[in-house]
Structure formats: structure tokens, C-alpha cells
Amino acid sequence: MAFTTQAEKQFLTKALYFGATPFKTTLQVDTTTYFCDPDAPREMLNEMKNSDVDFAISSRTLGPFSPSSWATLYNWNSRTKLLLRDWVLEMLHDGITVQDDQAQIHRALMKAVEKNRIKTRRLSSNWAFTPKGYYGDGTKRANPCNLYISVPVNGNVRVT
């Protein structure tokens, strides 16, 4: 398959970089991510490091799981390595769209869960968030200025 745009190449690069982490526990966030307080990244990493969870990813909704890779937190191990391999394979199989690189991680993650190959959790937006811009009719804004913030939270948000 051939990638046609620079953005398509970057989605694959992003997934490959996940697997190139030099750390046992990694927190990956997009450049549009904001932390609820300055201690959140350290606390997130410590909590993950001391857990039995392999991979945590943000979700677009509080309802049915809808992963969004604006924030991922993972412990590097053989289970995570297989998940990231499967994510890349899903992207190569589908062809990568500029609009979304999330469907492939969702499928890879659900397959790993079904096969009991990974322990995963939602990454709470109570720690961090990324603003999403929408017009009044609910369609997504291309320009993030004057946006409505839509962030799924399910408890107290920490702020300083």
C-alpha cells in the first residue's frame, strides 16, 4: 500500500514511536493535551508503574469505549509489544485515513482483550484533557478558536 499524504505517514510513525520507547512506563500525549495540574504527569506515571495494567488510553465517551490516542499510558512488556504490533498491522491493512487513526487501535485492543492477552483501562480525563472544537450544530471545527470544550469526565477534576 502507498501512503499519499504526509499526515498519513505521521499516523504510522506515531504508532512506531510508541514501540521505540526507552522507558518501562511511558506517557504519550498529543501536543493539544493539557494537564489538570502540574503534578498529574508524575502521578499518572507512578500509578501506572505500580499497577498490573499494561495499557491505558483516553476515551472519547463515558459510554461505550471509544479510544482516542491523544493520551496513552503503558508499561512496556511483551503484551504491550504485541498490541502495538497489531495496531501497526491494522493500519497497514486498512490504509490510513487522515481523519482518524483511532479505529485501528480500537480493533487491535479489542482483539487483545478478547484473547485475554492484555490488561487495559480507560485513561481518565480527570488527569488531563484535550479540547475539541465544535460548531453549534455539533460538527467539528477546523479552527480551535472560540471552541466549545467537550471532555468526558466521571469525577472530580483536579486543578490548581
Side-chain angles (χ1 to χ4, degrees), residues 22-95:
F23 305 106
K24 167 110 175 75
T25 304
T26 298
L27 171 62
Q28 174 280 323
V29 294
D30 287 352
T31 58
T32 58
T33 301
Y34 297 89
F35 290 98
C36 296
D37 73 51
D39 294 327
R42 179 183 46 77
E43 291 177 15
M44 293 167 76
L45 286 163
N46 285 338
E47 210 170 292
M48 185 66 159
K49 179 176 59 172
N50 296 318
S51 77
D52 63 346
V53 175
D54 301 309
F55 190 84
I57 191 167
S58 56
S59 181
R60 295 179 185 142
T61 68
L62 288 177
F65 184 56
S66 178
S68 176
S69 66
W70 65 264
T72 51
L73 185 59
Y74 55 101
N75 285 315
W76 186 246
N77 56 42
S78 60
R79 294 173 302 278
T80 305
K81 183 178 179 180
L82 283 174
L83 172 67
L84 297 179
R85 179 207 65 189
D86 292 348
W87 183 19
V88 169
L89 291 174
E90 288 284 344
M91 284 195 281
L92 292 173
H93 177 266
D94 283 3

Side-chain angles (χ1 to χ4, degrees), residues 1-5 7-12 86-105 107:
M1 79 160 287
F3 297 111
T4 57
T5 70
E8 290 170 340
K9 293 176 189 174
Q10 294 308 311
F11 287 128
L12 183 59
D86 292 348
W87 183 19
V88 169
L89 291 174
E90 288 284 344
M91 284 195 281
L92 292 173
H93 177 266
D94 283 3
I96 302 169
T97 62
V98 174
Q99 295 81 20
D100 190 4
D101 68 337
Q102 314 306 308
Q104 297 89 359
I105 186 62
R107 284 196 310 272

